Amino acid sequence: MSKVYVIHENSEWTVHLTKRLEELGVPYEEWHLDEGTLDLSAEPPEGIFYSRMSASSHTRDHRFAAEFSGQVLAWLEAHGRTVINGTSALKLEVSKVLQYLELNKSGVRTPKTIAAVGKQNILKAAEAFAGHPFITKHNRAGKGLGVQLFHSIEALKSYVEGPSFEEPVDGITLIQEYIQSPESYITRCEFVGGSFVYAVRVDTSEGFELCPADACQIGDLFCPVGEEVEEKPKFQIIEGFEDEILEKYKDVLARNDIQVAGIEFIRNAEGDIYTYDINTNTNYNSDAEAKAGKYGMLELAAFLKKILEEKYAAAASTV
C-alpha cells in the first residue's frame, strides 16, 4: 500500500505532524535519517516522500543527517518518486548564502551580508560595517546559531578571539548589517503547498532565539508552551495579513521546488522589509494557533493526504 514517508532526524518536531496524519487516516512511515545505509541498486518503495531535515541537526548529535538525507533524496528523485521539499529545498536549508541569492533573484531585499571563513577574515569583513551595528550568524544555522550583535569591531575581535566563539559547522560565518525594528518583533510567513497559510508576529525583545516549536530548547531558554499565559505572548498569528512580499516569496519557493517553508522578515523604522531566513523544516507554535484557530500541521497533513490520493488515484486509473 502506498503511504507518506516522513524523512527527519528529530522525533520531537515530527510527532505533531504524525498525530495529524493519524487524525486524517493517512498511512505513513517515518524515516529517521541520522544514520543508515543506502543501496543504490535498490528501488524506493511506492509513496510520496516529505523531508523535514533540519540545518540544526548537528546540534542534536546528528552530524551527518543532512548530508545523508541529501543522498537519499537524490536517490528518490532519480527514481521519479514524488518528493516534497527535496534536494533543492535541502540545499537552501543548509545555506543562508544560497537563500539570500535566491531571494534576491525574485527582487526580495536582504540585509547586506558578507560570508567569511577564518577568524581574520571575519574581522576583515566587519570593516565594511564600521560605525554601524552588525550581527554574526552561521551560514548553516537554525535555532539562532551563532547570532551575536556587535556595535564595534573591537567587541567582535574580543568574541572571535575569545573562548565563547562558536565555530560554524560548515566553517562559514556571516557578517550582516543589523536591521533594527522599532517595536522589537519579526514576522514569519508560513507556506504549505506553495500557498500562504498565515503570518505570525514573533517578539524579539528577549533576544534572537525564535524557534516556534513546542518541544524547543535553546540553551536555557524554552519556547512559551504549556506555561502560564503571558500578557505579551511571544508568538501571535496576525489576522488578515497581506503584503506584496507574499507573491515574491511564492516565486522563490516555486523556482526552488519548495512546497513547505517559513520565511522570516523584519521591518526597519521606515517600514522597509528585509528578509533574512527561509526555513524549510518549519514548526508551529500551538498556543498561537489555538488562539487563532489556524493549524499549520493540520494544513500540512491535509496537503500530504491530497498529494498521496491524487498520485495513486491517477496511477490506478491508468491500469
Side-chain angles (χ1 to χ4, degrees):
M1 181 179 66
S2 58
K3 64 179 75 171
V4 172
Y5 292 86
V6 182
I7 294 169
H8 70 97
E9 54 75 40
N10 186 357
S11 297
E12 287 183 304
W13 286 356
T14 305
V15 65
H16 308 291
L17 172 59
T18 57
K19 284 181 179 178
R20 292 297 192 180
L21 291 172
E22 291 170 4
E23 180 182 322
L24 296 181
V26 182
Y28 72 89
E29 181 178 322
E30 294 182 54
W31 283 7
H32 196 294
L33 297 188
D34 62 318
E35 59 181 35
T37 61
L38 175 62
D39 183 352
L40 301 188
S41 65
E43 185 170 326
E46 291 293 336
I48 67 169
F49 300 80
Y50 167 51
S51 173
R52 288 183 54 77
M53 188 48 55
S54 170
S56 63
S57 55
H58 60 286
T59 68
R60 291 176 287 279
D61 295 324
H62 301 156
R63 171 59 188 87
F64 298 110
E67 288 82 356
F68 183 43
S69 292
Q71 315 315 302
V72 171
L73 294 174
W75 171 65
L76 293 169
E77 291 170 355
H79 283 273
R81 296 298 185 265
T82 298
V83 181
I84 309 300
N85 280 18
T87 54
S88 296
L90 183 58
K91 189 176 179 182
L92 265 63
E93 172 72 10
V94 298
S95 174
K96 291 195 181 298
V97 167
L98 296 185
Q99 290 177 24
Y100 298 154
L101 293 175
E102 290 302 313
L103 287 164
N104 294 160
K105 285 181 185 178
S106 294
V108 178
R109 179 185 293 157
T110 57
K112 175 179 174 61
T113 304
I114 300 175
V117 176
K119 292 184 177 181
Q120 290 306 309
N121 287 313
I122 294 173
L123 298 175
K124 182 179 179 181
E127 294 173 4
F129 304 90
H132 302 278
F134 58 90
I135 63 175
T136 60
K137 60 174 61 173
H138 291 183
N139 179 54
R140 175 175 167 180
K143 302 199 309 182
L145 288 174
V147 178
Q148 302 277 350
L149 172 63
F150 298 94
H151 293 277
S152 69
I153 295 177
E154 290 72 24
L156 175 66
K157 189 172 188 294
S158 296
Y159 167 65
V160 169
E161 296 180 351
S164 62
F165 176 69
E166 293 181 76
E167 187 72 42
V169 70
D170 65 356
I172 302 172
T173 294
L174 304 183
I175 302 86
Q176 187 174 93
E177 69 173 311
Y178 176 54
I179 309 299
Q180 186 158 8
S181 168
E183 297 184 62
S184 297
Y185 73 88
I186 63 94
T187 303
R188 180 179 172 114
C189 300
E190 300 291 357
F191 295 83
V192 174
S195 298
F196 175 65
V197 178
Y198 64 67
V200 60
R201 174 173 167 149
V202 185
D203 175 25
T204 60
S205 59
E206 295 181 355
F208 297 105
E209 295 84 0
L210 309 178
C211 171
D214 293 350
C216 177
Q217 178 182 354
I218 307 164
D220 294 326
L221 298 178
F222 291 79
C223 290
V225 177
E227 301 175 1
E228 294 182 5
V229 177
E230 303 164 297
E231 287 186 16
K232 183 181 180 184
K234 191 175 182 70
F235 302 93
Q236 291 178 286
I237 291 176
I238 305 168
E239 292 296 333
F241 178 84
E242 293 182 4
D243 195 281
E244 61 183 14
I245 196 69
L246 295 176
E247 292 305 313
K248 294 181 179 180
Y249 288 166
K250 289 178 184 177
D251 182 63
V252 173
L253 298 180
R255 281 191 299 99
N256 289 278
D257 197 23
I258 299 171
Q259 292 81 24
V260 184
I263 303 180
E264 296 178 2
F265 72 78
I266 189 169
R267 293 184 190 268
N268 64 10
E270 289 71 39
D272 300 321
I273 286 177
Y274 288 81
T275 303
Y276 62 88
D277 185 49
I278 301 175
N279 190 328
T280 66
N281 178 37
T282 192
N283 289 299
Y284 311 100
N285 183 266
S286 61
D287 279 358
E289 290 196 327
K291 290 176 183 177
K294 298 180 179 180
Y295 302 95
M297 285 300 185
L298 181 57
E299 293 274 355
L300 176 54
F303 169 68
L304 294 173
K305 179 180 182 179
K306 179 174 179 286
I307 298 298
L308 181 68
E309 290 176 347
E310 290 178 349
K311 172 76 174 177
Y312 287 96
S317 67
T318 61
V319 175

